[in-house]
Amino acid sequence: MAKQWSDGLTAGAGLPLTWVLAMPLLLSGISALSLVTHLLQAHPSGNGEGLLWLALLALGWAIAQGLWLNRELLRCLRRVDGRSRDLAAGHLTTGLPSDSPVVEFNRLAHSFNQMAERVQASLGRLQANLSDAEHWLAQYSQLSPSMNYTYVEVTEGDASERQTWYEYLSAAVTEIGEISVEAGLRDANAVRGLIHPDDAAGYLAAEMACEQTLSTFSHQCRIVTPSGRVKWIHNQSQPLRRDDGTIAWHGVVVDISSYKQAEAALQESETRFRQLAEAVKEGFFVYETETAQYSYVNSAYWKIRGLTPDMTTNSEAEWLASIHPEDRDRVEAALVHERQGKHFDQEYRYTTPNGELRWLRSRAFPLCDDLGTVVRVVGTVEDITDRKLTEVALRQSEARFRNAFDNAPYGISLVAATGQFVLANAYYCALLGYSEAELLTITFKDITHPDDWADDWVGFQRMMGGKTATYQIEKRYITKQGEVIPVIINAAPIYDDGGKPLYSVGHVQDIRDRLAIDRMKDEFISVVSHELRTPITAIQGALALLGVGMYESRPEKARRMLEIAINNSDRLVRLVDDILSFERLESGQVQLEKELCQVAHLLYQAIDSVQPLADQSGITIALTPLTATLWAAPDSVIQVLTNLLSNAIKFSCPNGTVWVKASTERLDAADSNLSVLFTVQDYGRGIPPEKLEVIFDQFQQVDVSDSRQRGGTGLGLAICKRIVQQHRGQIWVESEVGRGSTFSVALPLVQGDSHD
Ligand code: ADP
């Protein structure tokens, strides 16, 4: 049932048109009648012709006036008609003229013009609004292609007996509901019945509320289409009360399912993000540069900063103020860069409100608007205290290791499974004569003696293959200079994360000295055992002969045997004394007791002790003494001088002379210290040049018969050398075979000690 529009216009004041039209005729009739009556009274007998003419005249005038009025009226009506059409078509340009001699026409024209103006004005407004609405619709429909759905719904009655029908439904509305337009117009329930049962009550309540106040209805709810699909719609409509009391709703319906989906997805992703942000142990923050406030921080953030969420003191300034002064400038400079769009990544020390010092690492990513201005900063903050402490500890232990590695008194090398050098310490490099850089370009095969390589490689591979835990080998290296060096290597693997041997670290000991000492010891033992055996055999033999009473009848022979035994036991005593004294000196057991002693006194004592020996051979000892004081162990110096003198006597020709001299000398031009130089010179058999050095080693003699014939042990000069060394002095010999020898001992004389 459509509502009928009444035109609502009321009749204006004034004469009705019928009156206007009838008036002149009535007047003319009246005047013609009165004229005829007058004439008939004045001229009862005739003269009726004149009266007739007069009546005709009045009639003619009346007709003419009626025609004029008719024409005028029609003209006016046509004008109104024409202008009304123009107005209806929207082309009204000029108003009705108000120049009619009839005042009503002029009033009509005036009223029409006023109305036309108003109509035109409101039409203009309507058009403007319409074009606005169209523009808005067009815009919106660009955003949402499902937008342009309109309906006009009319509701009648109160809540209990509401009736609803649709006057207009765009095809799109029914498309959303998946029903036909006809069905929708025929049965309002075909549309309203689509509302999801759970949402229907809410929809109705909201609608009723708007209806009462005639306010805009804006509602979102779900519908279920006949095919069973659930859709989200947005209904935006305006209720209007019509004159007949019904409420007309004009509105649009939009399918917002995809928005709802997107919204749900967004919400889900935000929930996920929050869950994630709360789960991570790194602090997470979102900082708004415009408001200079943190718009989001996760719980780890509070913990790392040592703050609690109820604290209101979470500002950037407070953060900066809590940074260690030594780190603050650097962080602030990075912050300036960040605000210009650069990434921020800083490690710094930070003090929590309760005074705990922590190492933090902050990383932040500025987000810019279209103009490139940083509007937001998203970042993380991490507590790296443990890592930093570990780093420090690691650095220290690395430094300690490096120090131990570099300064180790043995070689350390690290080689890969291929034998390639990876690392070598200073000792190792020095031993091999290569620089570390040179070593890193070769393998250990290149420096291994070819004869030792096969065994070496087998052992190395067994260890690197995991068959043995360590590996040891005594082998020979060949240095860069070609020298062969015997070494002992102890190697162990360094494993990778999977427990597989990755490198081999080897400790290398140069065993040249050890081998030399071993050799010397072997020689020493064989010599000593031989030297000891000789006198013992002689003593044993002599005593055995005496024991069996072989020489009981020959006392001369028996005495000779006893002499041999005594001489050999003397020799044995000397030998044992020398060995013990040498061993004591060699092992550093004896610490020489130094004191101030007179050089001359030392010389006299030494000469006294060898005088009987000299006398035996008729040797003269010539002395050039010196008055000086030495800081020395006197007994040891006397032992040296005695030994040199007894050798000189032993190896001199009979009745010769041995010269003994002491003087102060400057041994070296560069040395500012003076030395006391003792020289013992003989004119005996001399020493061949190749023996000049070795006679200072133990058991070294120029001639194997020297010990037997001259009663020596071969230890004398070795003992002298040790004693002189312990005085930080020097001993040497100059000699010419057949012409004699000169032994020199120089002992340092500290300035001020000299008393000459
Ligand atoms: P020994 O007890 O045999 O003398 P030394 O060590 O004192 O032992 O001397 C070692 C060797 O040096 C001697 O055996 C001898 O061959 C040689 N020698 C030492 N002094 C002289 C010397 N003045 N003239 C020649 N040869 C000497």
Side-chain angles (χ1 to χ4, degrees), residues 319-334 346-351 357-360 395:
W319 166 66
L320 274 172
S322 307
I323 291 175
H324 195 285
E326 284 172 24
D327 300 338
R328 201 179 297 141
D329 289 351
R330 173 170 54 81
V331 171
E332 263 174 328
Q346 291 291 320
E347 294 184 356
Y348 54 89
R349 280 159 291 177
Y350 167 85
T351 311
L357 186 78
R358 290 178 181 175
W359 268 99
L360 303 186
R395 258 205 305 279

Side-chain angles (χ1 to χ4, degrees), residues 578 643-644 647-651 682 684-687 695-697 700-703 706-707 711-718 735 740-741 743:
D578 279 357
N643 194 52
L644 295 181
N647 278 348
I649 293 163
K650 275 194 293 186
F651 295 102
D682 68 71
R685 74 171 199 205
I687 302 163
I695 52 167
F696 291 98
D697 290 343
Q700 292 291 336
Q701 289 170 321
V702 172
D703 196 307
D706 285 351
S707 63
T713 58
L715 281 168
L717 287 177
S735 180
S741 315
F743 281 84

